[in-house]
Amino acid sequence: MATFSEEAFQTKTGRIVAIRHCTSDDIESYLRFQPRIAAESTHTLQVMGREPNRDSLKMAWDSALADPVALRLGAFADGQMIAHLGMYFDSESPHPWTNHIASFGMMVVKDFWGEGVGRRLLEIMEAHARTCGVTRIQALVRVKNERGVRLYTRMGYEIEGTRRHGAIINGEPQDEHHIAKLLQQEATWQPPVLETERLILRPLQLEDAESLFEYAHDPKVTEYVSWEAHKTVSDSRNFILDYALRNYQKKVPEPWAITLKSDTSRVIGTVGCFWVSKNAKAMEIGYALGVPHWGLGLMTEAARAAMNFCFTEFDLNRIQSRCIVENKGSARVMEKLGMRFEGTLRASLSRRDRFWDLHHYAVLRSEWFKNE
């Protein structure tokens, strides 16, 4: 088993967790951890009253130490194990055609759910897997384990199928997802950094959650958009994880973070284009901007850069956009960008217990480059 120095990991709420390889010295801590996991959920293989045999556990853990691929990570808070991840080959002597595949299992106590510990364990596991030639990592996850499924899909794991009645727990059949990640195909694409007279447009990062929240929770910003105001910084973090980073994995330039040249670390808005129809070669542009920056032409400046990139880099014939009829500011941005008004779809958006009319605008490739 590979070795690395103990890592002090700070959770989202500021708690310090020590992450290290487990050894047989940690077995007693694991034996206190196991019944806690079993009592808190049925999402793992741990069962109340079914305590692992100490001697068998020690033998397995000692054996793992000699295996260059096997990984057994423990996360500890106040000296107690609060999470565990194991990565392993499915058999002692993997077939030469399948020795690139490893499986894993992970458990986190409920008190640390949503704290980032699971994500950090997965990051360490993937880095280790790459060093020892593993290019496919797989696992089973219960369909009802929605939090786990969300974490894995955020991290780039794909659901490849569902094993029906993979477990029967308390008499109730439980389905399980087969999930996997191909490390050699891991998406690394991000939209490029774009520069305008006053702005830098760059990819969103998790570190941007707090500055994004500053404007995304403002009811003035969200008054006439299709999404709801963010209630917490976690909402902004989830937007980056579930929407922005997943779009980047699909090579979709939506969204860029809009920043001022004077402070590129602070996000003041977002802009980006997503596919409406690849067959029709059509994208749609969306954008948002913090209130202190309204009325300065910044949104038009940012949108023009994004649209020019998309028309240049993609096989694209049309970029369209929509806005609620009452959103006069957004309509002005579209008009300044040279987009033509194409009509109003009545009652085409249901939001906040009412139906809204939407103005539709678009510009074609031939019109864009003629105007530019």
Side-chain angles (χ1 to χ4, degrees), residues 15 25 32 36 46 57 84 87 95 112 121-122 136 150 155 170 205 208 234 246 263 291 317 341 352:
R15 291 185 283 183
D25 292 338
R32 292 190 294 272
R36 184 175 176 185
Q46 306 307 313
L57 204 58
H84 179 271
M87 187 186 85
H95 192 282
F112 281 83
L121 293 177
L122 291 172
R136 174 185 168 91
R150 186 164 60 248
M155 292 287 289
N170 299 325
Q205 304 167 353
D208 295 321
S234 291
R246 293 187 72 176
D263 185 4
V291 173
N317 186 57
F341 174 67
R352 294 177 181 169

Side-chain angles (χ1 to χ4, degrees), residues 221-234:
V221 172
T222 60
E223 182 178 9
Y224 295 128
V225 298
S226 59
W227 46 278
E228 295 297 335
H230 294 188
K231 296 180 180 178
T232 66
V233 174
S234 291

Side-chain angles (χ1 to χ4, degrees), residues 16-22 26 29 74-83:
I16 302 299
V17 171
I19 298 176
R20 66 173 186 268
H21 281 298
C22 291
D26 297 308
S29 183
F76 300 82
D78 298 323
Q80 299 299 313
M81 183 178 290
I82 55 91

Side-chain angles (χ1 to χ4, degrees), residues 83-104:
H84 179 271
L85 180 148
M87 187 186 85
Y88 49 86
F89 282 134
D90 287 334
S91 61
E92 292 184 5
S93 301
H95 192 282
W97 294 349
T98 58
N99 62 10
H100 63 292
I101 300 174
S103 298
F104 76 93

